[in-house]
Amino acid sequence: DAGVIQSPRHEVTEMGQEVTLRCKPISGHNSLFWYRQTMMRGLELLIYFNNNVPIDDSGMPEDRFSAKMPNASFSTLKIQPSEPRDSAVYFCASSLGSYNEQFFGPGTRLTVL
Amino acid sequence: GENVEQHPSTLSVQEGDSAVIKCTYSDSASNYFPWYKQELGKRPQLIIDIRSNVGEKKDQRIAVTLNKTAKHFSLHITETQPEDSAVYFCAAGYNNNDMRFGAGTRLTVKP
């Protein structure tokens, strides 16, 4: 199994630009999670989906952030417009249901100049 | 919502010694308590987890204990090795949904 796949692995953009992060969960997993990791705030849950439906987006910091899961094998996290304080590593994770381990992807390191 | 506190933030031990990391949580509804290890520049990886119907779980040199009454759980690593050096995160949640992570403990094992 290829594991959770994220793209791009690194993204450098300028303030005000739109950024789209992509995630492909492990095949057969039906729960998907987006996290943000920074030195200051640690590992934060942004949003999670069960069976492609967003369940809790209370961790999404602002309206500039949005996430979608159009099908079981693909999810996006979009930031528009991006700001320097959005610089972080964004992880996607997936699991089989609510009772099992979350597997993390390799992360996307985002730098907003 | 759930709030997880983790101590210490840094821990340095000599190779072969034991290491203990402690976490407390606030939501009595939480029933799932995983521990993740994250090496520099890598993704978090699950090393052990425990559910609320169990008080202790062990896997080779790693053990986790849970005290539901006091709302705290601990990670114990025995016979530490240099490759155990990493940042360790505890987390708590209802099943694996809406998990909240602790701030992390940077463990250094000195040869």
Side-chain angles (χ1 to χ4, degrees):
Chain A
D1 195 323
V4 177
I5 299 172
Q6 291 187 246
S7 65
R9 295 292 308 277
H10 302 273
E11 176 82 23
V12 180
T13 190
E14 293 188 346
M15 183 173 62
Q17 296 298 305
E18 177 179 297
V19 174
T20 299
L21 311 181
R22 297 173 176 79
C23 176
K24 177 178 168 57
I26 293 172
S27 178
H29 283 192
N30 60 346
S31 294
L32 184 139
F33 308 82
W34 281 101
Y35 292 91
R36 178 174 68 175
Q37 186 174 38
T38 62
M39 288 295 294
M40 291 298 295
R41 301 176 67 88
L43 199 56
E44 303 172 277
L45 176 66
L46 301 177
I47 185 172
Y48 71 94
F49 297 82
N50 281 345
N51 297 316
N52 311 340
V53 177
I55 303 301
D56 184 355
D57 66 354
S58 60
M60 297 286 260
E62 300 171 34
D63 291 345
R64 299 184 295 107
F65 287 67
S66 62
K68 294 182 179 179
M69 193 165 185
N71 57 61
S73 58
F74 184 64
S75 177
T76 59
L77 178 68
K78 185 177 293 186
I79 308 173
Q80 166 63 18
S82 58
E83 296 183 3
R85 59 196 169 115
D86 302 330
S87 298
V89 178
Y90 290 81
F91 288 103
C92 174
S94 72
S95 70
L96 179 59
S98 301
Y99 297 96
N100 298 305
E101 173 186 355
Q102 289 186 22
F103 291 85
F104 281 73
T108 295
R109 182 174 295 278
L110 174 64
T111 302
V112 183
L113 304 174
Chain B
E2 179 62 271
N3 181 49
V4 178
E5 295 192 357
Q6 182 172 348
H7 299 280
S9 56
T10 60
L11 179 60
S12 181
V13 300
Q14 207 66 37
E15 182 177 0
D17 287 349
S18 295
V20 180
I21 303 170
K22 299 182 179 181
C23 289
T24 61
Y25 63 98
S26 61
D27 191 346
S28 56
S30 290
N31 63 356
Y32 179 60
F33 308 92
W35 287 88
Y36 285 82
K37 176 182 180 182
Q38 187 176 28
E39 297 177 353
L40 188 63
K42 301 290 183 64
R43 73 193 77 186
Q45 291 192 296
L46 182 78
I47 55 171
I48 195 168
D49 57 12
I50 191 168
R51 299 187 185 275
S52 58
N53 58 345
V54 176
E56 184 173 358
K57 185 177 178 180
K58 189 173 181 180
D59 182 4
Q60 299 182 332
R61 297 186 296 108
I62 295 172
V64 57
T65 58
L66 171 65
N67 183 327
K68 283 216 71 180
T69 302
K71 296 197 188 71
H72 66 70
F73 55 114
S74 301
L75 177 71
H76 304 251
I77 306 174
T78 58
E79 300 171 26
T80 54
Q81 301 167 2
E83 51 265 38
D84 294 330
S85 296
V87 178
Y88 291 81
F89 294 94
C90 63
Y94 183 73
N95 297 324
N96 73 1
N97 292 327
D98 199 16
M99 284 200 310
R100 303 297 170 176
F101 283 76
T105 296
R106 182 174 300 278
L107 174 65
T108 303
V109 180
K110 294 181 282 187

